[in-house]
Amino acid sequence: MNLPRAGARLQILLGHLGQPSAPAIVAQPVSGLASPASFHPEQFQYTLDNNVLSLEQRKFYEENGFLVIKNLVSDDDIQRFRAEFERICREEVKPPGIVIMRDVALAKQDYMLSDRIVSKIQDFQEDEELFRYCLLPEILKYVECFTGPNIMALHGMLINKPPDVGKKTSRHPLHQDLHYFPFRPSNLIVCAWTAMEHIDRNNGCLVVLPGTHKGTLKPHAYPKWEGGVNKMYHGIQDYDPNSPRVHLVMEKGDTVFFHPLLIHGSGRNRTQGFRKAISCHFGSSDCQFIDVSGTSQENIAKEVVEMAEKKYGFQGVMDFKDTWMFRSRLVKGERINI
Ligand SMILES: CCCC(=O)SCCNC(=O)CCNC(=O)[C@H](O)C(C)(C)COP(=O)(O)OP(=O)(O)OC[C@H]1O[C@@H](n2cnc3c(N)ncnc32)[C@H](O)[C@@H]1OP(=O)(O)O
Ligand SMILES: Nc1ncnc2c1ncn2[C@@H]1O[C@H](COP(=O)(O)OP(=O)(O)OP(=O)(O)O)[C@@H](O)[C@H]1O
Ligand SMILES: O=C(O)CCC(=O)C(=O)O
Ligand SMILES: [Fe+2]
Ligand SMILES: [Mg+2]
């Protein structure tokens, strides 16, 4: 397929970015986490050898499947992402490929697009201002500990979780991001998710089930929620309800890196503000595409392909791999397989 692809200009862009500032590095001291007490270095399988993570941070990710780095992204950068998000919502800029999503509770209403109606934007790889997030040296420095040196930005999102209208549709059901991805191995994929403001249980923080990255990919489907569910917000049906849940309270600029098998979701937004976070999934370009036919991912593959064909006006020519191929951009090193 001859679809738009990211090119060498990224390398040039990378060269223009400034040097990272030194962030405060703190592993999240939260209760209910797996203990690293019986840990042996030879058991490292979710992190690569690197001189960025402390031994303690590495063990934490190995055991829990996520790691919070405090104060990683600057207020200046966050302000720029916010301003560009607002421009996109007002349709002052229309980056190719961008997906603008409204909450299902408002989807049938005929409002003008604005930052008070959009619940998230996805696929901002052609928006140079938002894509700066995926190129930030301070982000990539950590990403490389999981992906190695050849890094693809696979999927960018800016989530603007709206005030819940009372139907609990602002929730994101518990899921594993790998459900959406046709590439492996999972250990070479990581999500970076940065709070753009203070986020806690009131405005719907991320909720994680520590240690679940050690399990397998579970079947996902739409949860049976009375008030409705957002398009493509699949959830895990049969997770262990006794598994401890950890609510990640984060400040502006704090960034969590998490494994694509980690079960996570987010709660309802009980405030009147739109809770903002920016995220990107990264993967090693050494990853390989897999065929998801006959697997639990068939349901999402079908939905994604239908949506993409509608958007680009093709019929019967795209597969799940194609939809990912033209969204991903090289951010460091060499493009190899994906
Ligand atoms: C690791 C990755 C994790 C994830 O990516 S999780 C979430 C994945 N989500 C996505 O990929 C984004 C999916 N959303 C989209 O593609 C678009 O927002 C969507 C649903 C096609 C709507 O696009 P619009 O441009 O707004 O199109 P439209 O106004 O003409 O609506 C078309 C039909 O869709 C409906 N719709 C819009 N927003 C919705 C929502 N949030 N939930 C459920 N249905 C929704 C809308 O009512 C309309 O339905 P109908 O055709 O009139 O019956
Ligand atoms: N018992 C449960 N069954 C199914 N899904 C759940 C359950 N508990 C939580 N979840 C999912 O995890 C997400 C986060 O849960 P959380 O409890 O933080 O949010 P909430 O229920 O909206 O708010 P709160 O519990 O703070 O009142 C929810 O949006 C929901 O999708
Ligand atoms: O910001 C959130 O609510 C989490 C979103 C999320 O997990 C996802 O879109 O995959
Ligand atoms: Fe997710
Ligand atoms: Mg709850």
Side-chain angles (χ1 to χ4, degrees):
M1 286 220 57
N2 189 19
L3 292 162
R5 289 244 190 158
R9 74 183 189 281
L10 291 176
Q11 295 303 313
I12 299 162
L13 243 180
L14 259 172
H16 285 292
L17 285 167
Q19 288 304 303
S21 55
I25 301 168
V26 183
Q28 186 85 349
V30 274
S31 58
L33 301 170
S35 157
S38 59
F39 206 88
H40 304 291
E42 64 271 21
Q43 291 170 334
F44 286 140
Q45 51 177 313
Y46 300 104
T47 56
L48 302 171
D49 289 334
N50 66 83
N51 52 18
V52 172
L53 302 181
S54 67
L55 183 61
E56 198 176 338
Q57 288 176 319
R58 223 177 143 178
K59 286 178 182 173
F60 189 94
Y61 188 91
E62 293 278 336
E63 283 298 306
N64 295 291
F66 70 96
L67 180 68
V68 177
I69 306 296
K70 302 289 289 175
N71 197 25
L72 186 66
V73 176
S74 72
D75 286 2
D76 255 22
D77 281 328
I78 288 172
Q79 181 48 39
R80 284 179 63 174
F81 302 144
R82 183 181 277 267
E84 182 68 357
F85 171 69
E86 287 168 6
R87 280 191 287 273
I88 292 172
C89 291
R90 290 194 300 265
E91 298 186 281
E92 288 170 22
V93 284
K94 293 186 180 182
I98 199 101
V99 173
I100 300 181
M101 188 160 185
R102 289 171 295 163
D103 188 90
V104 61
L106 307 171
K108 302 269 182 216
Q109 298 176 24
D110 207 10
Y111 291 117
M112 281 248 299
L113 270 186
S114 80
D115 58 338
R116 303 191 62 78
I117 185 90
V118 172
S119 61
K120 97 162 149 181
I121 58 177
Q122 296 201 157
D123 304 335
F124 54 64
Q125 65 280 354
E126 298 300 328
D127 185 276
E128 298 305 333
E129 188 66 4
L130 286 182
F131 197 73
R132 284 180 61 256
Y133 174 74
C134 312
L135 296 168
L136 288 176
E138 57 271 41
I139 293 282
L140 292 179
K141 178 177 110 174
Y142 286 97
V143 166
E144 191 164 348
C145 303
F146 310 103
T147 62
N150 299 316
I151 309 175
M152 300 292 294
L154 302 168
H155 187 228
M157 296 191 273
L158 195 153
I159 306 135
N160 190 44
K161 188 192 277 283
D164 201 281
V165 298
K167 295 183 164 176
K168 301 189 187 173
T169 51
S170 66
R171 292 178 300 175
H172 200 129
L174 293 173
H175 66 283
Q176 296 164 302
D177 289 340
L178 196 68
H179 176 61
Y180 297 86
F181 300 150
F183 22 77
R184 301 292 187 274
S186 58
N187 294 350
L188 296 182
I189 301 169
V190 70
C191 179
W193 187 100
T194 300
M196 293 174 67
E197 60 193 306
H198 172 85
I199 300 183
D200 62 22
R201 211 160 166 167
N202 279 322
N203 57 2
C205 60
L206 271 195
V207 181
V208 301
L209 274 51
T212 48
H213 66 301
K214 295 178 190 169
T216 53
L217 181 60
K218 310 244 180 306
H220 288 60
Y222 284 110
K224 293 172 188 66
W225 287 348
E226 270 174 35
V229 187
N230 281 302
K231 182 83 180 150
M232 290 192 202
Y233 281 31
H234 292 191
I236 295 177
Q237 313 287 292
D238 68 333
Y239 67 91
D240 175 5
N242 297 320
S243 178
R245 284 188 294 147
V246 171
H247 289 82
L248 297 182
V249 175
M250 293 168 66
E251 300 305 328
K252 186 176 177 180
D254 293 357
T255 301
V256 59
F257 295 87
F258 65 92
H259 189 282
L261 281 169
L262 183 76
I263 299 178
H264 66 284
S266 61
R268 120 179 76 132
N269 181 359
R270 291 190 172 74
T271 70
Q272 287 311 303
F274 288 71
R275 186 227 73 181
K276 288 183 178 54
I278 186 165
S279 79
C280 183
H281 283 89
F282 297 92
S284 164
S285 74
D286 291 318
C287 285
Q288 305 267 6
F289 279 108
I290 57 155
D291 183 356
V292 302
S293 326
T295 74
S296 65
Q297 289 179 264
E298 253 182 353
N299 60 354
I300 191 68
K302 187 162 172 278
E303 268 192 66
V304 169
V305 170
E306 275 171 11
M307 201 75 75
E309 292 199 331
K310 216 165 132 188
K311 186 168 145 187
Y312 292 102
F314 300 120
Q315 267 293 299
V317 287
M318 269 200 201
D319 66 16
F320 196 30
K321 276 181 224 173
D322 294 323
T323 68
W324 281 106
M325 207 117 74
F326 69 82
R327 285 191 273 188
S328 43
R329 275 179 65 173
L330 185 70
V331 290
K332 197 167 178 191
E334 260 183 89
R335 190 162 194 168
I336 300 172
N337 297 320
I338 60 169

